[in-house]
Amino acid sequence: MHANAPISARVLTVGAALAAGSLVLTGCSSAGSGKSSADDLHSKLPARIQQAGVLKIASDLNYAPVEFKGADGTATGIDPDIALAMGKVLGVKVEFTDTAFDKLIPGLQAKEFDIAMSAMTDNRQRREGTDDKGVQTDPGVDFVDYFIAGTSILVAEGNPKKINKLDDLCGHTVALQRGTTQAAIVERQVGACSRVRKPLTVKLFDNDSQALAELAAGRADADLNDFPVAAYVASKGGPNGTKFAVAGPQLQPSPYGIAVAKGDTELRDVMAKALNQMIRNGEYEAVLEKWEVSAGAVQNAVVNGGF
């Protein structure tokens, strides 16, 4: 998970938006615009969203450059830009609510918002709502896949611990954001390290900024992040000017998915159609070029395409 270019005009003032806990971005066409187009999708949205005129999106706005708060407090990044463009296609505004990553799926299932869009990897466990042992823990979610990203290992500049692959983590300490794909990858690696009698110590935090601070302070030897985030952090630097580096190749490339509650198939399918329209009209490519992540582009929307 995961250029401070501003999003276009907001409906709420920054202070009011932050007080409400939500950030509203204008993404609707003018009244009636596009209604004659065969590609108009507004009428295919669930009635509740048509009536509200707003698509409510939950996101952990602490994962630059995928999603984060800009200097003025608005949601910015790859996901907000894609969402804003999708809002235009759908003829609705988009409203971002900053939500802790491990609260996204529970909140979606509780109908606190319409979708979750937060550099969330589409995988079987999330779709089926199971834990690592295959035990059902929640109803699961559906995904509309919109980007491909692998995991990268982030280390101190110069890579003093010579960590370049998962096995190199054995005997070291890793700082991670809990609830992420990276946390699951490292949890599996703990067992592998135990078998070679080189224990891997894992420190879990509520957000990635805390994990990066641990790495910057020398209390961890590595952090794992989605590649776009790791590359961004390495280029921009960390707390107090700390410099980081991306070590080794990307691991396990997988799709990011827009999460939709199980059973909300009407919304799921119209989101897929909106993404495909964005891909056809060039707006999708323009967003990825803006954030220099074109290598992660998908050719078309796929529903539940993760491993």
Side-chain angles (χ1 to χ4, degrees):
M1 288 187 329
H2 342 268
N4 296 332
I7 298 284
S8 56
R10 305 186 308 284
V11 173
L12 300 181
T13 65
V14 174
L18 293 178
S22 300
L23 306 172
V24 180
L25 311 179
T26 56
C28 58
S29 305
S30 58
S33 65
K35 294 295 182 182
S36 61
S37 168
D39 288 331
D40 172 58
L41 299 175
H42 182 81
S43 63
K44 296 181 173 65
L45 285 165
R48 70 180 192 275
I49 298 175
Q50 290 189 51
Q51 292 167 5
V54 176
L55 181 68
K56 297 179 180 179
I57 306 173
S59 185
D60 185 353
L61 300 176
N62 188 49
Y63 210 54
V66 187
E67 56 264 322
F68 61 108
K69 291 179 182 177
D72 60 356
T74 59
T76 190
I78 299 165
D79 282 357
D81 276 5
I82 290 175
L84 183 61
M86 291 182 81
K88 291 177 181 177
V89 171
L90 294 168
V92 293
K93 301 167 186 173
V94 295
E95 175 187 281
F96 273 82
T97 298
D98 191 9
T99 306
F101 190 80
D102 60 353
K103 305 298 183 184
L104 292 173
I105 288 179
L108 180 63
Q109 292 167 339
K111 300 182 180 180
E112 294 173 7
F113 30 82
D114 299 310
I115 64 173
M117 191 172 183
S118 191
M120 185 179 291
T121 301
D122 170 3
N123 60 38
R124 180 175 295 179
Q125 283 183 229
R126 287 175 175 148
R127 293 196 304 270
E128 297 180 352
T130 57
D131 62 17
D132 283 339
K133 297 180 180 178
V135 177
Q136 187 91 31
T137 58
D138 65 73
V141 296
D142 283 336
F143 286 103
V144 177
D145 300 340
Y146 64 98
F147 188 78
I148 302 294
T151 288
S152 289
I153 300 172
L154 198 64
V155 297
E157 186 179 40
N159 197 3
K161 304 293 185 178
K162 308 302 180 187
I163 297 171
N164 292 294
K165 56 185 185 297
L166 286 177
D167 286 345
D168 294 341
L169 295 174
C170 295
H172 295 290
T173 298
V174 179
L176 298 164
Q177 181 177 1
R178 61 171 49 91
T180 60
T181 297
Q182 288 73 32
I185 290 172
V186 170
E187 183 176 348
R188 292 190 291 269
Q189 187 62 26
V190 166
C193 292
S194 294
R195 288 191 290 273
V196 297
R197 299 183 180 181
K198 296 174 66 177
L200 169 57
T201 301
V202 180
K203 295 183 176 182
L204 296 175
F205 297 90
D206 290 336
N207 59 63
D208 191 54
S209 293
Q210 294 169 339
L212 289 172
E214 198 75 358
L215 177 58
R219 294 187 294 267
D221 303 313
D223 178 20
L224 270 67
N225 261 313
D226 293 348
F227 172 72
V229 178
Y232 180 87
V233 171
S235 67
K236 298 295 183 181
N240 301 317
T242 305
K243 294 185 178 180
F244 300 117
V246 175
Q250 288 190 57
L251 309 169
Q252 304 178 14
S254 300
Y256 285 169
I258 299 169
V260 182
K262 286 287 188 185
D264 204 353
T265 54
E266 187 178 20
L267 178 57
R268 179 198 68 192
D269 293 346
V270 78
M271 295 298 294
K273 290 175 181 177
L275 177 59
N276 279 331
Q277 185 164 320
M278 277 183 61
I279 292 171
R280 289 196 303 270
N281 67 24
E283 291 187 29
Y284 172 77
E285 182 181 1
V287 171
L288 300 192
E289 287 180 349
K290 169 184 172 181
W291 295 99
E292 301 180 356
V293 292
S294 296
V298 297
Q299 298 304 307
N300 56 272
V302 175
V303 173
N304 296 331
F307 300 111

